[in-house]
mmCIF file of all heavy atoms in Angstrom:
data_model
loop_
_atom_site.group_PDB
_atom_site.id
_atom_site.type_symbol
_atom_site.label_atom_id
_atom_site.label_comp_id
_atom_site.label_asym_id
_atom_site.label_seq_id
_atom_site.Cartn_x
_atom_site.Cartn_y
_atom_site.Cartn_z
ATOM 1 N N ALA A 121 -16.597 8.921 3.280
ATOM 2 C CA ALA A 121 -15.417 8.967 4.157
ATOM 3 C C ALA A 121 -15.377 7.761 5.091
ATOM 4 O O ALA A 121 -16.411 7.271 5.556
ATOM 5 C CB ALA A 121 -15.434 10.251 4.969
ATOM 6 N N ASP A 122 -14.153 7.294 5.360
ATOM 7 C CA ASP A 122 -13.974 6.211 6.332
ATOM 8 C C ASP A 122 -13.947 6.762 7.753
ATOM 9 O O ASP A 122 -14.175 6.026 8.714
ATOM 10 C CB ASP A 122 -12.672 5.468 6.016
ATOM 11 C CG ASP A 122 -12.757 4.838 4.645
ATOM 12 O OD1 ASP A 122 -13.538 3.883 4.494
ATOM 13 O OD2 ASP A 122 -12.116 5.345 3.703
ATOM 14 N N GLY A 123 -13.657 8.044 7.884
ATOM 15 C CA GLY A 123 -13.683 8.705 9.190
ATOM 16 C C GLY A 123 -13.900 10.189 9.000
ATOM 17 O O GLY A 123 -13.566 10.740 7.941
ATOM 18 N N VAL A 124 -14.506 10.818 10.005
ATOM 19 C CA VAL A 124 -14.785 12.260 9.950
ATOM 20 C C VAL A 124 -14.289 12.887 11.242
ATOM 21 O O VAL A 124 -14.591 12.387 12.335
ATOM 22 C CB VAL A 124 -16.302 12.531 9.801
ATOM 23 C CG1 VAL A 124 -16.578 14.023 9.709
ATOM 24 C CG2 VAL A 124 -16.867 11.800 8.586
ATOM 25 N N ILE A 125 -13.529 13.978 11.104
ATOM 26 C CA ILE A 125 -13.014 14.703 12.270
ATOM 27 C C ILE A 125 -13.534 16.132 12.171
ATOM 28 O O ILE A 125 -13.330 16.797 11.153
ATOM 29 C CB ILE A 125 -11.464 14.710 12.265
ATOM 30 C CG1 ILE A 125 -10.928 13.284 12.418
ATOM 31 C CG2 ILE A 125 -10.918 15.625 13.362
ATOM 32 C CD1 ILE A 125 -9.432 13.164 12.194
ATOM 33 N N ALA A 126 -14.235 16.598 13.209
ATOM 34 C CA ALA A 126 -14.772 17.964 13.174
ATOM 35 C C ALA A 126 -14.657 18.572 14.556
ATOM 36 O O ALA A 126 -14.938 17.909 15.565
ATOM 37 C CB ALA A 126 -16.233 17.952 12.745
ATOM 38 N N GLY A 127 -14.232 19.833 14.586
ATOM 39 C CA GLY A 127 -14.233 20.564 15.847
ATOM 40 C C GLY A 127 -12.960 20.413 16.659
ATOM 41 O O GLY A 127 -12.910 20.875 17.803
ATOM 42 N N PHE A 128 -11.926 19.825 16.093
ATOM 43 C CA PHE A 128 -10.645 19.693 16.793
ATOM 44 C C PHE A 128 -9.665 20.779 16.364
ATOM 45 O O PHE A 128 -8.462 20.671 16.612
ATOM 46 C CB PHE A 128 -10.030 18.307 16.539
ATOM 47 C CG PHE A 128 -10.709 17.189 17.273
ATOM 48 C CD1 PHE A 128 -11.940 16.715 16.856
ATOM 49 C CD2 PHE A 128 -10.136 16.618 18.401
ATOM 50 C CE1 PHE A 128 -12.585 15.685 17.532
ATOM 51 C CE2 PHE A 128 -10.768 15.587 19.079
ATOM 52 C CZ PHE A 128 -11.999 15.126 18.653
ATOM 53 N N GLY A 129 -10.202 21.819 15.703
ATOM 54 C CA GLY A 129 -9.313 22.862 15.209
ATOM 55 C C GLY A 129 -8.370 22.284 14.157
ATOM 56 O O GLY A 129 -8.649 21.229 13.559
ATOM 57 N N THR A 130 -7.248 22.968 13.974
ATOM 58 C CA THR A 130 -6.315 22.517 12.931
ATOM 59 C C THR A 130 -5.619 21.210 13.324
ATOM 60 O O THR A 130 -5.039 20.536 12.476
ATOM 61 C CB THR A 130 -5.280 23.609 12.636
ATOM 62 O OG1 THR A 130 -4.627 23.951 13.858
ATOM 63 C CG2 THR A 130 -5.941 24.848 12.058
ATOM 64 N N GLN A 131 -5.704 20.843 14.598
ATOM 65 C CA GLN A 131 -5.150 19.556 15.057
ATOM 66 C C GLN A 131 -5.825 18.381 14.341
ATOM 67 O O GLN A 131 -5.254 17.287 14.250
ATOM 68 C CB GLN A 131 -5.356 19.445 16.573
ATOM 69 C CG GLN A 131 -4.537 18.355 17.219
ATOM 70 C CD GLN A 131 -4.898 18.163 18.692
ATOM 71 O OE1 GLN A 131 -5.769 18.863 19.231
ATOM 72 N NE2 GLN A 131 -4.244 17.232 19.334
ATOM 73 N N GLY A 132 -7.037 18.622 13.826
ATOM 74 C CA GLY A 132 -7.760 17.572 13.118
ATOM 75 C C GLY A 132 -6.960 16.996 11.953
ATOM 76 O O GLY A 132 -7.040 15.797 11.665
ATOM 77 N N TYR A 133 -6.190 17.848 11.277
ATOM 78 C CA TYR A 133 -5.370 17.357 10.154
ATOM 79 C C TYR A 133 -4.330 16.346 10.651
ATOM 80 O O TYR A 133 -4.041 15.356 9.993
ATOM 81 C CB TYR A 133 -4.639 18.508 9.471
ATOM 82 C CG TYR A 133 -5.517 19.411 8.634
ATOM 83 C CD1 TYR A 133 -6.248 20.451 9.208
ATOM 84 C CD2 TYR A 133 -5.599 19.250 7.253
ATOM 85 C CE1 TYR A 133 -7.038 21.296 8.449
ATOM 86 C CE2 TYR A 133 -6.383 20.090 6.475
ATOM 87 C CZ TYR A 133 -7.106 21.107 7.088
ATOM 88 O OH TYR A 133 -7.890 21.926 6.315
ATOM 89 N N LEU A 134 -3.755 16.635 11.822
ATOM 90 C CA LEU A 134 -2.696 15.757 12.356
ATOM 91 C C LEU A 134 -3.304 14.433 12.815
ATOM 92 O O LEU A 134 -2.730 13.365 12.598
ATOM 93 C CB LEU A 134 -1.957 16.465 13.496
ATOM 94 C CG LEU A 134 -1.353 17.829 13.100
ATOM 95 C CD1 LEU A 134 -0.680 18.493 14.292
ATOM 96 C CD2 LEU A 134 -0.349 17.666 11.956
#
Side-chain angles (χ1 to χ4, degrees):
D122 298 291
V124 181
I125 296 170
F128 286 75
T130 56
Q131 195 187 0
Y133 287 83
L134 304 178

